[in-house]
Amino acid sequence: MYLVDIRLESTTRLAPADVRALLSEAARPGDGVEHIYVQPGPPSAGVPPREAAPSLDVVLFLSHLTLTESERAADTVLGRCTTGGLRFRRLSAMPLTLLVELLGLDG
């Protein structure tokens, strides 16, 4: 299982539930998307909050054997969602096991 972090930067104001639904509809069985998590992202630098649509951070949980396969699948899903001025940017990817190990270092 791999996690792929994505940021939606768009001029269109979308709720996290709308983005989750959009990505769910774009995912196909072969893409390996197991779960989609969406939360508000950080404010855009240098843009007054009232003028900018808020960014949203997305995590795709993908069930592929390699990081390369997971990134390719994420890019494929995102490519199906680029209508209407939506712009997704892949930020990072990591195995779920690494995230669990890193979180265990806090305690």
Side-chain angles (χ1 to χ4, degrees):
M1 177 82 58
Y2 287 86
L3 309 180
V4 179
D5 296 319
I6 298 154
R7 178 154 301 141
L8 169 62
E9 296 169 331
S10 174
T11 56
T12 304
R13 290 185 181 273
L14 294 171
D18 296 332
V19 174
R20 190 177 310 105
L22 176 71
L23 291 167
S24 292
E25 290 172 11
R28 307 287 184 266
D31 295 328
V33 176
E34 295 290 331
H35 182 69
I36 301 168
Y37 176 75
V38 183
Q39 70 179 14
S44 300
V47 179
R50 284 187 219 111
E51 295 178 19
S55 67
L56 295 172
D57 286 347
V58 178
V59 179
L60 295 180
F61 292 72
L62 296 151
S63 61
H64 286 284
L65 295 177
T66 68
L67 176 62
T68 300
E69 290 173 326
S70 295
E71 289 175 328
R72 189 176 301 131
D75 290 343
T76 299
V77 172
L78 297 177
R80 295 182 191 124
C81 299
T82 57
T83 60
L86 297 179
R87 188 174 77 228
F88 290 94
R89 180 168 52 100
R90 185 165 32 98
L91 301 175
S92 64
M94 71 173 62
L96 180 59
T97 54
L98 177 60
L99 178 63
V100 170
E101 288 175 23
L102 291 172
L103 291 174
L105 294 176
D106 282 342

